[in-house]
Each structure stands twice: as structure tokens, then as C-alpha cells.
């Protein structure tokens, strides 16, 4: 009856336990430019061909704010939120995005993030935010 299984709010040990029981196609945990607890897990899941869906990709209840993020956004003539989403898409090929919004203007802005190409310098500057 169930075609694909995903887990959420799961530690690396819990993901390993779940994978020992049944194939897992997706993990959904909190992750964004400033909150990078799952960095190692994302790389392991990418190796295994498992999707990672960051919740609170824009910071959730406390939207991301950073001078470094704003500086990159200004350089690219983009908005900070679209750059934050672009960074996630550059972070790993197994990342799928679900930014939430009740605003059509924000929806357009967020969708534009998929079209932003970040340079090595941009990535280096953004990488420092959560490290
Ligand atoms: N598995 C779990 O435990 C779990 C936990 C939390 C969330 N989730 C899921 O994860 C997804 C994302 O979570 P989320 O929506 O709470 O967090 P989010 O995407 O990080 O942030 C959403 C917040 O950012 C604002 N926002 C969105 N786009 C913006 C923009 N371009 N500029 C400025 N502000 C912007 C939204 O306000 P506006 O409406 O004003 O745009 C909203 O307050 C949702 O599908 C949610 O259901 C799952």
C-alpha cells in the first residue's frame, strides 16, 4: 500500500535503523545556511541516492538574517532569501526544497533562487555563515 518511505526529525542513528528495516527514499530535517547540524548526514544520504528535504530552509519562525548573505545577494542583484535557497541547491544534488510562504511575491522570489548560479567566492562567503 505504501510505495515510498521517508522519515523526519531523525538522527543519523535513527535513519540507519530505519534503513535496516526498509528502503528509505527521503529524510526531512531542519537545515539551512545557518543551521548545519546535518552536514555529514546529507553527504552520506547523497552517496546512497536518498533525498534530503530541509525544513525551515529559510529559517522558519526566525527568517535568516546575515550580513554575508546580504552582501552576496547585493552582488548578484538578488534577494537574500533567493540566495539562501540557491545555496541549498548548490549544497548537494540530493537536496529538494519546500520553502513555505503565504505570499505570491515571496513565492516568485523563492522560485527565482533555482535560477541563481553561485561562484566559488559566493559559496565560500556563504559557507562561513553556519560554520
Ligand atoms: N517535518 C517537520 O517536523 C517540519 C517542521 C517544520 C516545517 N516543516 C515543513 O517544512 C516546510 C518549510 O517550513 P516553513 O515554511 O515553516 O519554513 P521556511 O520555509 O524556512 O520559512 C517560512 C517563513 O519564511 C517567510 N518567507 C518565505 N519566503 C520569504 C521571502 N522570500 N522573503 C521573506 N520571508 C519569506 C514566510 O513568510 P511569508 O508567508 O510572509 O512569506 C514564513 O514566515 C513546510 O512545508 C513545513 O510544513 C516540517
Amino acid at each position: 500500500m505504501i510505495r515510498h518511505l521517508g522519515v523526519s526529525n531523525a538522527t543519523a542513528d535513527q535513519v540507519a535503523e530505519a534503513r535496516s528495516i526498509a528502503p528509505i527514499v527521503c529524510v526531512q530535517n531542519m537545515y539551512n545556511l545557518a543551521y548545519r547540524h546535518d552536514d555529514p548526514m546529507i553527504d552520506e544520504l547523497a552517496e546512497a541516492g536518498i533525498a534530503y528535504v530541509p525544513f525551515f530552509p529559510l529559517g522558519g519562525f526566525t527568517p535568516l538574517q546575515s550580513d554575508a548573505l546580504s552582501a552576496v545577494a547585493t552582488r548578484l542583484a538578488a534577494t537574500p532569501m533567493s540566495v539562501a535557497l540557491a545555496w541549498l541547491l548548490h549544497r548537494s544534488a540530493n537536496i529538494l526544497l519546500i520553502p513555505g510562504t503565504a505570499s505570491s511575491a515571496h513565492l516568485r522570489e523563492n522560485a527565482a533562487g533555482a535560477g541563481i548560479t553561485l561562484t566559488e567566492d559566493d559559496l565560500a562567503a556563504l559557507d562561513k555563515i553556519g560554520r
Side-chain angles (χ1 to χ4, degrees), residues 8-9 28 55-60 81 98-102 106 109-110:
S8 182
N9 285 299
Q28 183 183 95
F55 75 70
F56 290 168
L58 296 172
M81 291 309 192
I98 51 165
T101 182
H106 285 168
E109 183 183 328
N110 297 345

Side-chain angles (χ1 to χ4, degrees), residues 77-125:
T79 64
M81 291 309 192
S82 62
V83 172
L85 295 173
W87 177 82
L88 284 166
L89 292 174
H90 283 68
R91 169 63 184 77
S92 185
N94 63 331
I95 288 192
L96 305 180
L97 289 185
I98 51 165
T101 182
S103 146
S104 52
H106 285 168
L107 177 63
R108 278 190 287 276
E109 183 183 328
N110 297 345
I116 294 175
T117 301
L118 299 172
T119 65
E120 289 301 321
D121 284 350
D122 296 332
L123 291 170

